[in-house]
Amino acid sequence: MSLDRTEASLDKIIKPLSDEIESREFLIKNTRDVISMCSRAIIAVHAGDTVSAAAKAKEAAKLLRSHKKRAAGGLRRYLAVPEQELVEALSLIAIVGGRPVPSRESLGVSGPSYVLGLLDCIGELKRLAYDRIRAGDAAGAQDAFRTMEGLYNMLYPFAAFDKVIKEARRKLDVARILIEDTRAAVTEEARRAELLHALRGLRSMGAGDGI
C-alpha cells in the first residue's frame, strides 16, 4: 500500500496553515501599534491637543488599512479590538471638534466594531464632562453629557444582539452607570452655578442700596 498521495495531500495542507499562523502572529504583533496610537490620540484630546490627536488617529487608521490585507477569513477577528479603538478615538476627536461622528462606512470597520467603539467613547465623554466641570465650563459639560445620552439611546437596541456583538450588553450596562454618574455631576454643577449667580445678584443689590 502506497501513501505517496496521502503525503502529497498533507504537504499541500501544511502550506496554507503555515501562512495563516504567520499572518496571525503578524496581526497580533502589529495591531498593538494601532491600539497604542489610538490611546495616545485620546490622551492628547484630553490634554487639549486636538491637532496631535488627529495626526495620531490618522496614522493609526493608515496602519490598520495596511494590516487588513493580512486578515482574510477567520483572521478578521484580530482586527476587532484595533477597529474599536479607532472608532473610539476618531469619534471623540470629532465630538470635541464640533463635527459629526464619522460613519461606519467612512471608517471602513465592521458593524460590531463600530457599535462597541461608540460605546467605549461614552466613557471618554464622561471624562470630558468632568474635565469641563473642573474648568468651570458648565455649558461644555452639559454638551458632553447630552452627547453621551444621545449615543446611549441610539446604541441601546443593540443589547438584543449580544450573542452576535459580544460585550454589547455589558458595555451598555456600564454606559448607563456612567451616564447616571455624569447626570448627577452636571446637575450639581448647574445648581451650584445658579446659586453663585443668585449670590452675585444679591451682592449687587446690596451694593446698590449702600449696604
Side-chain angles (χ1 to χ4, degrees), residues 98-129:
R99 299 185 302 277
V101 171
S103 67
R104 181 186 73 83
E105 292 77 12
S106 69
L107 298 179
V109 300
S110 70
S113 292
Y114 189 67
V115 170
L116 296 175
L118 290 177
L119 282 169
D120 287 339
C121 188
I122 290 175
E124 296 304 327
L125 287 171
K126 176 190 176 181
R127 180 178 171 185
L128 180 66

Side-chain angles (χ1 to χ4, degrees), residues 40-107:
R40 292 201 297 270
I42 289 171
I43 291 170
V45 169
H46 290 299
D49 189 355
T50 54
V51 174
S52 175
K56 288 179 173 62
K58 183 178 180 180
E59 181 62 23
K62 181 180 177 181
L63 272 177
L64 186 59
R65 282 194 299 272
S66 70
H67 296 339
K68 285 182 179 180
K69 300 171 185 176
R70 303 286 294 268
L75 294 174
R76 186 76 176 71
R77 67 183 182 274
Y78 293 105
L79 297 180
V81 173
E83 282 187 346
Q84 291 171 38
E85 295 292 326
L86 184 65
V87 171
E88 180 183 7
L90 288 173
S91 297
L92 181 65
I93 291 168
I95 291 166
V96 170
R99 299 185 302 277
V101 171
S103 67
R104 181 186 73 83
E105 292 77 12
S106 69
L107 298 179

Side-chain angles (χ1 to χ4, degrees), residues 2-207:
S2 174
L3 295 176
D4 291 346
R5 291 183 180 179
T6 303
E7 185 176 11
S9 294
L10 292 174
D11 287 342
K12 290 178 182 178
I13 293 171
I14 287 175
K15 178 63 168 64
L17 289 176
S18 297
D19 291 343
E20 184 170 342
I21 289 174
E22 182 183 344
S23 293
R24 175 183 176 275
E25 291 174 351
F26 172 87
L27 290 169
I28 290 173
K29 178 182 177 182
N30 289 280
T31 54
R32 291 192 193 115
D33 293 336
V34 176
I35 295 169
S36 177
M37 282 185 185
C38 290
S39 296
R40 292 201 297 270
I42 289 171
I43 291 170
V45 169
H46 290 299
D49 189 355
T50 54
V51 174
S52 175
K56 288 179 173 62
K58 183 178 180 180
E59 181 62 23
K62 181 180 177 181
L63 272 177
L64 186 59
R65 282 194 299 272
S66 70
H67 296 339
K68 285 182 179 180
K69 300 171 185 176
R70 303 286 294 268
L75 294 174
R76 186 76 176 71
R77 67 183 182 274
Y78 293 105
L79 297 180
V81 173
E83 282 187 346
Q84 291 171 38
E85 295 292 326
L86 184 65
V87 171
E88 180 183 7
L90 288 173
S91 297
L92 181 65
I93 291 168
I95 291 166
V96 170
R99 299 185 302 277
V101 171
S103 67
R104 181 186 73 83
E105 292 77 12
S106 69
L107 298 179
V109 300
S110 70
S113 292
Y114 189 67
V115 170
L116 296 175
L118 290 177
L119 282 169
D120 287 339
C121 188
I122 290 175
E124 296 304 327
L125 287 171
K126 176 190 176 181
R127 180 178 171 185
L128 180 66
Y130 275 67
D131 286 345
R132 288 175 172 177
I133 287 172
R134 282 191 290 270
D137 182 8
Q142 289 176 357
D143 284 343
F145 170 71
R146 281 193 289 268
T147 304
M148 290 174 71
E149 197 170 37
L151 278 175
Y152 178 82
N153 290 336
M154 286 189 287
L155 292 166
Y156 183 75
F158 288 93
F161 302 99
D162 188 61
K163 298 297 183 184
V164 180
I165 304 178
K166 302 298 182 183
E167 295 285 289
R169 186 178 294 277
R170 184 189 68 79
K171 286 179 182 283
L172 280 164
D173 289 342
V174 170
R176 180 175 52 79
I177 294 169
L178 296 177
I179 286 169
E180 292 309 315
D181 287 347
T182 309
R183 187 196 307 278
V186 168
T187 301
E188 182 180 348
E189 178 61 18
R191 288 173 178 167
R192 189 183 73 84
E194 288 175 2
L195 178 60
L196 288 174
H197 180 73
L199 288 172
R200 290 191 189 102
L202 288 172
R203 290 195 188 103
S204 297
M205 290 173 61

